[in-house]
Amino acid sequence: MDIAWTDIAAEGALGIGLVVAGLGVVGLLLGAFVLGIRVRRRESAPPRPEEQPRLPDGGPVREVREPREPAEVPRSDRRLTPHELPGHGNMPSRRSSLKGRRRWNEGRSGSFGGGGSG
């Protein structure tokens, strides 16, 4: 056998290997496509227009802005853990007696390095 024939045989084997690998990739992609179709068929259909959510009779719900005061943390001589706090650490706030919005002190910007006296 000649060296040229072994080169041709090696190239042919390599070409066949690439074709087999390409067919394997195509097979995997087709399998994923078929699996996606099966999963989509099992899902519920999208809601019809009459099943869509509607606005309440009073119109859209608006955000309520009001001054709130936090509940006080109980004083103790040791650090309290969240499960020892009232409401397990989820302390509710209450309405503030102040009706106006809190403002910064006069002469201060309220930011770090804002040029106020300090």
Side-chain angles (χ1 to χ4, degrees):
M1 226 169 144
D2 194 6
I3 297 283
W5 286 105
T6 57
D7 288 343
I8 293 171
E11 289 175 4
L14 180 64
I16 291 172
L18 288 176
V19 168
V20 169
L23 289 175
V25 169
V26 169
L28 284 173
L29 289 173
L30 286 174
F33 183 74
V34 169
L35 180 64
I37 289 174
R38 287 182 184 172
V39 168
R40 184 146 184 172
R41 283 184 184 161
R42 277 188 259 141
E43 292 177 355
S44 60
R48 294 187 304 271
E50 60 269 6
E51 296 173 342
Q52 295 289 335
R54 302 280 181 215
L55 279 176
D57 293 335
V61 179
R62 300 284 181 217
E63 179 180 327
V64 176
R65 291 185 180 212
E66 60 186 7
R68 308 288 291 177
E69 290 181 358
E72 293 296 322
V73 176
R75 298 282 180 194
S76 176
D77 56 345
R78 63 182 181 84
R79 182 179 290 183
L80 297 176
T81 58
H83 71 275
E84 295 173 325
L85 294 172
H88 299 287
N90 297 323
M91 298 173 59
S93 60
R94 58 183 182 272
R95 286 187 179 162
S96 175
S97 59
L98 302 173
K99 296 296 178 192
R101 186 173 161 206
R102 288 187 182 177
R103 299 287 179 188
W104 295 108
N105 294 336
E106 285 296 322
R108 302 200 180 233
S109 69
S111 65
F112 177 74
S117 61

